[in-house]
Amino acid sequence: MTIRLVVGLGNPGPEYEKTRHNAGFWLVDELAWQHKAKLHAEGKFFGEAARATLAAGDVWLLKPMTYMNLSGQAVAALARFYKIAPEEILVVHDELDLQPGTARLKQGGGHGGHNGLKDIIARLGSPNFWRLRLGIGHPGDRNEVANFVLKKARAEEQQAIDDALAKSLQVMPEVLAGNMAAAMKTLHTAAK
């Protein structure tokens, strides 16, 4: 099964643009640029959307503009409109449980306390979408998490996150074509 919708999670607005929580936005922006797909505001999808034409077929790119906690509103609206199944959706998001520089692909599972994922699962009525988890590291104290994700990464962390984005973009053709095993093998065994 191919991926028909790639959703990057983040928060709208210049004050959040460079924060760790916006790692998903960064990947979708880069994907849009690579495929000359212009993201534009789509009110009915509560976000910025673009259709990219790829070898594997058309893929929708989406950046919800609802703020993280309501990301599912945008995902569900576009998925329902175009009859896209959860298994055909890739959600790209920041991941506290992975170190910067690490990217992991998986299907299904819980939300791990990530409010964007929690809302998407609730509104799609299924956890079976694919996730590309971009490591941002953990502040070490769970009371600091909200503050941590809404701050810019330190320079060396940002470099590692950028490297993980680059690795993720390299396997994206495999991911979008539904060759998840090949994509995971490359992504998960890449040199640290």
Side-chain angles (χ1 to χ4, degrees), residues 3-8 28 39-52 58-64 66 70-86 88-90 120 123-124:
I3 295 295
R4 295 176 54 210
L5 169 58
V6 178
V7 181
V28 166
L39 289 157
H40 55 273
E42 280 282 359
K44 67 183 173 191
F45 301 139
F46 308 97
E48 292 180 1
R51 188 186 344 221
D58 283 355
V59 174
W60 279 98
L61 304 177
L62 177 66
K63 290 168 52 180
T66 53
L70 299 174
S71 298
Q73 184 179 10
V75 178
L78 193 145
R80 277 204 260 304
F81 190 85
Y82 289 107
K83 298 178 175 42
I84 298 172
E88 298 173 306
I89 300 172
L90 173 68
I120 293 168
R123 293 184 192 242
L124 286 179

Side-chain angles (χ1 to χ4, degrees), residues 11-39:
N11 284 309
E15 68 273 33
Y16 296 112
E17 202 175 315
K18 306 247 187 272
T19 63
R20 293 175 176 100
H21 226 12
N22 277 31
F25 273 13
W26 303 338
L27 186 123
V28 166
D29 283 338
E30 190 60 33
L31 210 51
W33 181 82
Q34 284 183 358
H35 295 286
K36 297 174 180 51
K38 185 147 175 48
L39 289 157

